[in-house]
Amino acid sequence: SINVSSESIMCKTFKKKIRNLLTKNKMLDNLEFEITESILPEHKSEVIDFITEIRHDFGIKFSLDDFTT
């Protein structure tokens, strides 16, 4: 799994690199993104959009990374 912050998801370069990686590498069936639990309210909509697009387009799993447990 890969830990991803909402700040990373807000970065257009990050999103472009992730899409390129997933498009070029079909061997990532077991990949999972762990979104840090500290999603800033102002990023919420864009984070949800990113998760929805990547899950739909590539079937990648997402989870919430809970640092307090």
Side-chain angles (χ1 to χ4, degrees):
S1 67
I2 299 171
N3 289 339
V4 180
S5 69
S6 61
E7 290 82 10
S8 294
I9 292 173
M10 296 301 296
C11 176
K12 291 181 184 194
T13 303
F14 171 80
K15 291 190 281 192
K16 183 176 181 178
K17 286 182 179 185
I18 291 297
R19 285 193 149 282
N20 287 337
L21 173 69
L22 295 173
T23 299
K24 291 177 182 177
N25 191 341
K26 304 296 183 193
M27 303 287 293
L28 298 174
D29 294 340
N30 294 323
L31 179 65
E32 179 176 346
F33 287 113
E34 293 184 11
I35 307 295
T36 55
E37 66 179 4
S38 59
I39 296 174
L40 300 175
E42 61 269 18
H43 296 168
K44 183 178 169 183
S45 179
E46 193 155 350
V47 169
I48 291 170
D49 289 346
F50 174 78
I51 291 171
T52 302
E53 290 172 19
I54 298 299
R55 286 181 65 196
H56 177 264
D57 294 349
F58 302 102
I60 301 299
K61 299 175 190 107
F62 286 83
S63 63
L64 184 63
D65 189 358
D66 185 3
F67 291 118
T68 60
T69 60

